[in-house]
Amino acid sequence: MKKSRVVVLGSTGSIGVNTLDVIERHPDRFEVFGLTASTSVETMLAQCARHKPTYAVMVSEAHGKQLLQRCKAEGLQTQVLWGANALEMLAAHEMADIVMAAIVGAAGLAPCLAAARSGKRLLLANKEALVVGGQLFMDTVAAGGATLLPIDSEHSAVFQSLPPDPRDWASRIDKIILTASGGPFRKREPSTLRNVTPEEACAHPNWVMGRKISVDSATMMNKALEVIEARFLFGVAPAQIEVVIHPQSVIHSMVQYVDNSVVAQLGTPDMRGPIAYGLSWPERVISGAVALDFSAMSGLSFEAINTEEHKKRFPGIGLAWTAMDGPQGTTAVLNAANEVAVAAFLERRIRYDQIHHINTETLSSVRPAAPGSLDDLLGLDLQSRRAAEAVISRVGV
């Protein structure tokens, strides 16, 4: 069997680390061709020593030169590059078969588009590529002949629950039901949320994730972004997407068919499951995730997201449908505003409860024109970030 050569964009983050773990379990099927990271030189050096990729790319020149010196000192043969052009080159490299897109935020959009144009098997763990790129991204996937497979646990679950032929989706699906854990504040009194610290917001009860994603899970903005992502991935109307809170994170998402039958995908909360499925699809391979023990489960519970109590705890979830109802590009505005707001909260420049205010104010102040290119998207992203920073400058902690 010919080995599949894998590029991991964002290899030092949690998705990247888990991807390398799955790859290492199947040395007969996969090999690491390229790795990329932003600033984690030490972790990248260790990954280069262990996996011996052909290429390693750092985002900045300073970090790239550090890694180059360290690799030379260690006698490693990995070619070290840096910068945005190197990221795109690696994502589109003719020798690469599979690209895991795990760069957090809008920074991952350009290499994702490069991989799509080059017809790669693109494993999408970067939800912002779709939230920001929207129809332009999906058109690029189609034009390049790429195979787009979702890695977010919820979207992987939906994909696994759908009919195998996408041509059957429109006629058979009634709705998609995305599950949400509820995060660390599911039962917290909404009036106390103004006092939440970054440490509390990052303490997710079920998943181990990066700080930005953890905050999004606490506010439920991650679910708002996932609703938008599902709309583009599966071609359903916004009204066909529903969110339900499922604290145990055992059912990762569901599809309700026109006959009211529901197909769900279950598993332990371990990202190696969807990663392994994306790497091996349409086959399945050992992932390293622990199997469910049904005899040990005390029960599975569900809560409506639209109760008055949850609307106060998670006001951001409704912004998904607001953004999808807006002009093309509005979802990119929402994503940029949220990235800026979460960063400001983690830097303790704003309170936790001000994240939603910044998002809504930015949506009100930016009126996008339909983006027709990557430059248009990047320009809109920058405009939205500046607008969000302007809102932050007006609010007090």
Side-chain angles (χ1 to χ4, degrees):
M1 177 187 295
K2 178 180 176 291
K3 292 183 183 180
S4 294
R5 293 178 290 265
V6 184
V7 169
V8 183
L9 304 175
S11 66
T12 60
S14 60
I15 295 293
V17 169
N18 279 316
T19 300
L20 293 175
D21 179 86
V22 174
I23 290 172
E24 199 167 28
R25 293 170 187 274
H26 302 281
D28 58 323
R29 297 181 65 109
F30 309 109
E31 64 179 82
V32 177
F33 181 72
L35 302 174
T36 83
S38 178
T39 60
S40 302
V41 172
E42 290 297 327
T43 304
M44 176 63 94
L45 179 66
Q47 290 180 344
C48 288
R50 187 177 186 96
H51 300 283
K52 297 177 173 55
T54 302
Y55 291 100
V57 177
M58 301 299 293
V59 170
S60 75
E61 181 178 356
H63 291 101
K65 288 183 175 179
Q66 287 180 40
L67 180 64
L68 177 61
Q69 292 174 351
R70 298 295 303 278
C71 284
K72 285 183 176 179
E74 297 288 337
L76 301 177
Q77 299 302 307
T78 296
Q79 298 181 52
V80 177
L81 305 172
W82 50 82
N85 289 339
L87 279 174
E88 292 185 48
M89 177 282 295
L90 184 57
H93 200 288
E94 62 181 5
M95 296 292 288
D97 302 305
I98 301 173
V99 176
M100 168 59 78
I103 296 175
V104 174
L109 177 59
C112 278
L113 283 168
R117 282 193 297 270
S118 301
K120 305 301 183 189
R121 171 180 291 205
L122 180 55
L123 311 186
L124 193 65
N126 173 313
K127 62 175 60 68
E128 290 84 3
L130 268 172
V131 174
V132 177
Q135 195 57 49
L136 175 65
F137 181 79
M138 294 304 295
D139 290 344
T140 304
V141 169
T147 299
L148 183 63
L149 299 175
I151 299 301
D152 268 353
S153 60
E154 295 83 359
H155 299 96
S156 176
V158 170
F159 181 68
Q160 294 179 59
S161 301
L162 286 168
D165 190 340
R167 291 173 295 186
D168 294 332
W169 292 358
S171 62
R172 296 189 185 183
I173 297 172
D174 178 42
K175 62 182 176 181
I176 287 170
I177 305 169
L178 301 178
T179 59
S181 69
F185 307 134
R186 181 173 63 88
K187 291 188 175 296
R188 181 154 172 164
E189 173 57 43
S191 62
T192 70
L193 291 176
R194 64 177 285 125
N195 302 317
V196 163
T197 67
E199 291 73 23
E200 290 174 313
C202 290
H204 195 281
N206 297 342
W207 298 92
V208 178
M209 304 178 291
R211 284 165 61 80
K212 192 268 181 184
I213 298 174
S214 295
V215 174
D216 282 348
S217 182
T219 63
M220 291 279 274
M221 273 305 300
N222 73 316
K223 209 54 53 177
L225 298 178
E226 286 170 11
V227 167
I228 296 167
E229 188 179 5
R231 181 258 177 274
F232 287 111
L233 272 173
F234 306 117
V236 295
Q240 289 179 282
I241 307 171
E242 183 179 308
V243 175
V244 63
I245 291 179
H246 170 51
Q248 295 81 18
S249 296
V250 170
I251 297 176
H252 296 309
S253 279
M254 300 169 270
V255 174
Q256 182 169 306
Y257 285 79
V258 293
D259 61 357
N260 288 334
S261 298
V262 177
V263 176
Q265 188 268 335
L266 287 69
T268 51
D270 189 323
M271 285 306 300
R272 290 176 297 179
I275 289 168
Y277 187 65
L279 286 168
S280 63
W281 178 86
E283 301 174 32
R284 291 183 183 267
V285 296
I286 292 171
S287 67
V290 175
L292 283 173
D293 182 356
F294 288 94
S295 65
M297 288 184 194
S298 58
L300 303 179
S301 61
F302 304 90
E303 301 169 15
I305 193 67
N306 58 354
T307 66
E308 289 305 312
E309 197 81 354
H310 282 328
K311 285 180 181 178
K312 293 176 182 176
R313 285 193 187 92
F314 309 120
I317 185 68
L319 294 180
W321 288 271
T322 300
M324 288 188 291
D325 285 342
Q328 199 177 137
T330 304
T331 58
V333 177
L334 175 60
N335 178 77
N338 186 62
E339 284 192 21
V340 170
V342 170
F345 166 67
L346 289 171
E347 295 163 3
R348 304 179 195 274
R349 292 192 288 134
I350 62 169
R351 298 191 313 268
Y352 175 86
D353 64 330
Q354 292 174 320
I355 294 173
H356 179 63
H357 172 74
I358 291 157
N359 289 341
T360 55
E361 287 296 304
T362 305
L363 277 176
S364 298
S365 65
V366 178
R367 287 286 179 264
S373 68
L374 175 60
D375 285 343
D376 290 345
L377 288 170
L378 295 178
L380 178 57
D381 180 74
L382 180 59
Q383 177 190 1
S384 304
R385 289 172 188 275
R386 288 173 174 166
E389 286 289 0
V391 178
I392 290 171
S393 69
R394 295 195 298 267
V395 303
V397 178

